Amino acid sequence: MHFLEQAPRHLFFTGKGGVGKTSIACATAVQLAAAGKRVLLVSTDPASNVGQVFGETIGNQIKAIPAVHNLWAIEIDPQAAAQAYRDRIVGPVRNVLPESVVKGIEEQLSGACTTEIAAFDEFTALLTDPALTAGYEHIIFDTAPTGHTIRLLQLPGAWSGFLEEGKGDASCLGPLAGLDKQRAQYKAAVDALADPQRTRLVLVARAQRATLREVARTHEELAAIGLSQQYLVINGVLPAGEAEHDGLAAAIVQREQAALAAMPDVLQSLPRDQIALKPFNLVGLDALRHLLVASAGPQTACAVELPDRLDAPSLASLVDDIAVDGHGLVMLMGKGGVGKTTLAAAVAVELAHRGLPVHLTTSDPAAHLAETLEGSLPNLTVSRIDPHAETARYRQHVLDTKGAQLDAQGRALLEEDLRSPCTEEIAVFQAFSRVIREAGKQFVVMDTAPTGHTLLLLDATGAYHREVTRQMGSTGLHYTTPMMQLQDTRQTKVLLVTLAETTPVLEAANLQADLRRAGIEPWAWVINSSVAATRPSSALLRQRAHNELREIDAVANRHAQRYAVVPLLQQEPVGVARLRELAHPEHGNG
């Protein structure tokens, strides 16, 4: 493996949920420890399962892994770290400021940025304090901070005044208000990250076009701030040999090879490794020892018993229930890479096929979806929102208004705040909100929705109410703000999209909790791209399908009020016929 050659002291693994960061980080730790190196494995992943992988309870203290000589591990709990952070900042003002203001501050501190910065606060000591880590030759981090987080930590120490004067309004900057004491330690940590002699960043991806585009953006963002020592690992590539007697496996191999051939140019120049998809669950030492080598693994992909037919509701059955009302807003939400855009199109096509008027609105940068559907189906209209244009417009508006009176330092802080992931969500949702009003007389199906945290920030700042009031003018008509509409299950149905894998299901459960905090109850879960729903003949795919059954059961019985399972198709689901196939798996899988 190239990324292990002459490995520096720090190895950071980063990538979207479900791509295999934790498994690769753990396997790397085991391999280095086997080579006689003293290794510390650090996880800052909110959906961490490092303890599960080793069969050990680890927790927030450095602990030796008994089964692996030379290996120690620590799991930093980002949620606990974020809560401690919130308590530290909100505590002093709790009985000083009005309760509504305190609640607003708490909401500012409940987003993903806060959690990430709080976790970074926890592990900076592991990067900079020799007394803590002197005994370890390698420190491996499962999950690296984003470029946005690192840039925030590089900016001047003027956060407290910036926030106290209200210049930031709804903001991700909250957690930095109490950090002036740590600023020197943060600078040392960022310096360590940017030093290729000390740190190597490993980008983990899957052989999928969308995932590779995402990792290319991550690469450019981190390289722009000095983290240039990057390696690329393509994980979970289906071996070509599996394609011999299985049409689905053959289609997957062809699709993956096409995605790798069309990889963005910025990734082509990076040192690259490829790890084959394994039939076994990546839990336990045997599995970890075989992950990074090209052997068959600790268990052969022998005959696996699968049910003749997966007894789970189809997407068409969910659409039946949605269609009853004749109109309404349908929002598809989920983490990146789970297929929200495709499923939004499938829901829209199903509704239109029933003779119902549908407006599908998407922020999908791949305009081929809109082109495929445009004019091809009665009752269906498609609009596409350009996230980059909307975000640029929103940023400029904020800089022209809030930023007009700021000095250079204040403006720099505001500009960085506007690079937060929340900013794009707000900008795109404001564009979507112009379409939402149509849901009173037809179906509006929305792909890519903001998180509950972003919705609460928008509502707290009055952005919804001001926008709606401006649009309604002095008509005197009764109106409902988008937030009120989203909270009303008679008007809005939220569908959470996930995959039948451990990390994506955990992330969807976290998103559900986030939405519930905003008073929005998800209506259903959709498990996308399921191998278990396809009756595969490939031994490896049958084992993968067997592994999915546990996650499908968790969604059905623990997380969701109602759910559907959508099969992985042999062909990319583009075009009306294939989109309908997603909803009707009984029609075949071709």
Side-chain angles (χ1 to χ4, degrees):
M1 290 287 162
H2 293 95
F3 74 88
L4 277 170
E5 291 170 6
Q6 297 179 311
R9 189 170 188 230
H10 304 131
L11 283 161
F12 274 85
F13 292 87
T14 190
K16 284 288 184 189
V19 295
K21 292 187 304 291
T22 297
S23 301
I24 295 171
C26 291
T28 299
V30 167
Q31 193 158 319
L32 288 171
K37 307 291 186 183
R38 290 168 62 85
V39 180
L40 175 62
L41 175 62
V42 182
S43 174
T44 60
D45 189 339
S48 174
N49 59 343
V50 167
Q52 181 189 344
V53 168
F54 285 109
E56 291 284 335
T57 302
I58 296 172
N60 203 24
Q61 300 292 325
I62 293 175
K63 176 181 177 179
I65 303 296
V68 186
H69 182 59
N70 288 330
L71 180 59
W72 289 258
I74 178 172
E75 278 184 321
I76 292 170
D77 180 347
Q79 303 301 339
Q83 187 56 52
Y85 227 116
R86 286 192 283 273
D87 292 344
R88 192 161 87 210
I89 293 168
V90 175
V93 300
R94 195 174 290 284
N95 297 316
V96 178
L97 298 175
E99 183 62 22
S100 61
V101 175
V102 172
K103 280 190 174 172
I105 295 172
E106 286 179 328
E107 187 50 48
Q108 287 178 4
L109 301 178
S110 66
C113 297
T114 301
T115 305
E116 191 175 8
I117 292 169
F120 190 78
D121 185 44
E122 292 272 320
F123 76 59
T124 44
L126 298 170
L127 277 172
T128 59
D129 187 346
L132 270 180
T133 59
Y136 305 107
E137 292 160 275
H138 291 287
I139 307 174
I140 294 170
F141 293 89
D142 169 26
T143 302
T146 65
H148 169 63
T149 301
I150 294 167
R151 281 195 308 270
L152 283 176
L153 298 169
Q154 287 175 319
L155 286 168
W159 312 103
S160 297
F162 184 69
L163 285 163
E164 284 162 10
E165 293 168 35
K167 292 173 181 172
D169 207 0
S171 169
C172 288
L173 293 181
L176 294 154
L179 295 190
D180 287 337
K181 289 178 188 168
Q182 286 105 310
R183 193 143 300 272
Q185 183 170 306
Y186 277 20
K187 184 180 184 308
V190 171
D191 288 348
L193 281 171
D195 182 353
Q197 300 303 311
R198 289 187 281 171
T199 299
R200 180 171 295 169
L201 198 75
V202 181
L203 306 168
V204 184
R206 301 293 287 265
Q208 299 160 349
R209 288 178 191 268
T211 311
L212 289 167
R213 281 198 303 266
E214 180 67 36
V215 90
R217 282 195 294 272
T218 301
H219 159 70
E220 290 182 307
E221 184 183 44
L222 292 168
I225 50 174
L227 277 71
S228 54
Q229 184 79 345
Q230 298 182 27
Y231 283 64
L232 178 63
V233 174
I234 311 292
N235 189 32
V237 179
L238 187 64
E242 294 293 322
E244 290 176 14
H245 307 293
D246 186 322
L248 177 61
I252 293 171
V253 168
Q254 185 177 16
R255 198 182 302 176
E256 290 184 339
Q257 293 308 312
L260 292 173
M263 186 186 300
D265 291 342
V266 293
L267 299 179
Q268 296 283 4
S269 59
L270 296 181
R272 184 163 93 221
D273 293 298
Q274 198 165 295
I275 298 174
L277 185 68
K278 300 294 193 284
F280 48 86
N281 270 327
L282 288 161
V283 173
L285 277 178
D286 265 2
L288 293 175
R289 286 177 178 137
H290 285 91
L291 176 60
L292 302 181
V293 296
S295 67
Q299 46 178 287
T300 57
C302 56
V304 170
E305 289 297 320
L306 288 174
D308 291 335
R309 181 178 171 278
L310 187 65
D311 186 20
S314 68
L315 185 62
S317 69
L318 285 188
V319 176
D320 287 341
D321 292 341
I322 293 170
V324 170
D325 294 332
H327 64 86
L329 176 62
V330 182
M331 295 172 71
L332 285 95
M333 301 182 70
K335 295 290 184 180
V338 295
K340 291 186 299 293
T341 299
T342 299
L343 288 181
V347 169
V349 163
E350 274 300 299
L351 288 167
H353 193 78
R354 287 160 166 74
L356 297 160
V358 184
H359 181 168
L360 169 64
T361 179
T362 175
S363 61
D364 178 24
H368 70 266
L369 189 62
E371 291 162 9
T372 302
L373 291 170
E374 197 75 63
S376 62
L377 198 62
N379 308 310
L380 179 62
T381 57
V382 180
S383 64
R384 195 179 83 83
I385 288 163
D386 182 342
H388 299 296
E390 295 296 338
T391 305
R393 188 179 301 125
Y394 176 78
R395 281 187 184 130
Q396 196 56 52
H397 171 73
V398 175
L399 287 169
D400 290 345
T401 53
K402 290 190 180 73
Q405 306 303 317
L406 296 180
D407 58 19
Q409 190 180 54
R411 194 173 172 88
L413 294 175
L414 180 59
E415 284 177 347
E416 186 52 51
D417 190 27
L418 289 170
R419 290 193 186 105
S420 137
C422 297
T423 300
E424 183 173 308
E425 286 189 3
I426 289 170
V428 170
F429 189 72
Q430 286 191 339
F432 276 143
S433 69
R434 296 192 283 273
V435 179
I436 286 176
R437 299 194 305 282
E438 299 176 13
K441 56 185 184 296
Q442 66 173 349
F443 279 106
V444 173
V445 179
M446 181 190 299
D447 147 51
T448 308
T451 65
H453 165 67
T454 305
L455 291 169
L456 280 169
L457 284 185
L458 269 170
D459 203 48
T461 59
Y464 282 34
H465 303 272
R466 286 195 299 274
E467 178 70 9
V468 173
T469 304
R470 186 185 65 76
Q471 288 166 354
M472 295 301 292
S474 56
T475 59
L477 296 174
H478 172 74
Y479 62 85
T480 304
T481 67
M483 187 64 153
M484 291 158 64
Q485 187 172 338
L486 299 185
Q487 291 170 330
D488 185 348
T489 52
R490 294 168 301 177
Q491 298 186 67
T492 300
K493 289 182 170 62
V494 173
L495 276 54
L496 289 185
V497 183
T498 187
L499 304 174
E501 298 173 15
T502 308
T503 302
V505 168
L506 278 171
E507 289 186 337
N510 289 338
L511 178 55
Q512 177 162 269
D514 184 24
L515 288 166
R516 284 173 172 166
R517 201 175 71 247
I520 297 168
E521 183 61 35
W523 183 75
W525 284 45
V526 182
I527 299 168
N528 194 26
S529 300
S530 169
V531 178
T534 67
R535 300 188 294 280
S537 56
S538 151
L540 192 152
L541 289 186
R542 286 181 69 81
Q543 182 66 56
R544 300 286 299 182
H546 179 74
N547 296 343
E548 284 187 359
L549 296 177
R550 185 182 68 244
E551 300 304 328
I552 293 170
D553 180 71
V555 170
N557 296 307
R558 232 177 28 245
H559 297 303
Q561 295 183 39
R562 57 180 69 75
Y563 76 105
V565 176
V566 174
L568 177 64
L569 298 187
Q570 287 189 21
Q571 304 301 321
E572 292 278 9
V574 173
V576 170
R578 288 185 191 151
L579 287 168
R580 291 211 70 213
E581 198 177 324
L582 290 173
H584 299 275
E586 69 277 7
H587 292 174
N589 185 31

